[in-house]
Amino acid sequence: MLNLVGGSLKLAASERWFLAYSQPKSECKAQLHLGAQGFRTYLPQIQKTIRHARKLSTVRTALFPRYLFVVLELERDRWLSVRSTIGVSSLFGSRDGRPVPVPIGIVESLIARSEGSLTRLDSGLVKGQQVRILTGPFVDFVGTLDRLNEAGRVRVLLEMMGTAVPVTLHRSVLAPAA
């Protein structure tokens, strides 16, 4: 989810993206309070299916649990106040305590893959590739991508009980297997 309080996604020459480490399950709270202070943030989110008490539910969750990105200019901004923001545990930094910027292009590529507040991980999928299913009854299964079509439907072959079982899904629920 993008929070563009105080500007746009275009960074000034001296601005960089930094990584904030949130308290457990407090990424959205941290983003809200950082935005209230005028910081621009980015919290990449995905849809994920969770199982609880024999029940499946699809929820939005952080792509990187406990992490969100914040725009800072170290010479201009009061970056020490980020660490004391409600929901934030610390800023990712070096041994001397100064924050370390995220390499250029990483956050920008995540933002480019976003549709609304969701980050899509399905770009660049190719036939024969190993993929992980992110939502639905086959959540966390890894299979082989067998077919893609223009409508966004894919067929994934899942290995079950010694045989390849074809499953048809929408490509947005897939991510390359790590």
Side-chain angles (χ1 to χ4, degrees), residues 110-131:
L110 287 170
I111 292 169
R113 292 177 174 217
S114 296
E115 285 182 3
S117 62
L118 291 176
T119 302
R120 300 271 310 256
L121 301 175
D122 62 343
S123 62
L125 294 178
V126 294
K127 185 177 177 181
Q129 181 178 12
Q130 293 289 332
V131 292

Side-chain angles (χ1 to χ4, degrees), residues 88-156:
V88 175
S89 183
S90 63
L91 273 172
F92 182 77
S94 62
R95 290 180 190 239
D96 67 357
R98 287 187 62 81
V100 175
V102 175
I104 294 173
I106 292 178
V107 178
E108 292 81 0
S109 68
L110 287 170
I111 292 169
R113 292 177 174 217
S114 296
E115 285 182 3
S117 62
L118 291 176
T119 302
R120 300 271 310 256
L121 301 175
D122 62 343
S123 62
L125 294 178
V126 294
K127 185 177 177 181
Q129 181 178 12
Q130 293 289 332
V131 292
R132 178 176 305 280
I133 300 174
L134 300 174
T135 65
F138 299 107
V139 66
D140 289 332
F141 276 62
V142 175
T144 304
L145 186 58
D146 183 48
R147 187 182 305 156
L148 294 113
N149 71 17
E150 298 79 31
R153 301 297 289 173
V154 296
R155 185 167 77 182
V156 177

Side-chain angles (χ1 to χ4, degrees), residues 28-127:
C28 292
K29 184 190 297 186
Q31 183 178 38
L32 176 72
H33 289 281
L34 285 168
Q37 295 177 57
F39 291 107
R40 290 179 287 161
T41 61
Y42 175 58
L43 175 60
Q45 294 182 320
I46 59 171
Q47 283 192 323
K48 184 176 179 182
T49 299
I50 57 173
R51 291 183 176 114
H52 182 69
R54 293 190 219 156
K55 191 174 173 186
L56 294 177
S57 60
T58 301
V59 297
R60 276 185 194 206
T61 186
L63 177 60
F64 308 112
R66 295 190 70 181
Y67 289 98
L68 68 148
F69 300 98
V70 60
V71 174
L72 295 172
E73 182 181 328
L74 294 182
E75 304 305 319
R76 177 195 69 197
D77 295 326
R78 295 175 27 132
W79 57 269
L80 288 171
S81 68
V82 171
R83 297 186 308 188
S84 61
T85 299
I86 295 171
V88 175
S89 183
S90 63
L91 273 172
F92 182 77
S94 62
R95 290 180 190 239
D96 67 357
R98 287 187 62 81
V100 175
V102 175
I104 294 173
I106 292 178
V107 178
E108 292 81 0
S109 68
L110 287 170
I111 292 169
R113 292 177 174 217
S114 296
E115 285 182 3
S117 62
L118 291 176
T119 302
R120 300 271 310 256
L121 301 175
D122 62 343
S123 62
L125 294 178
V126 294
K127 185 177 177 181

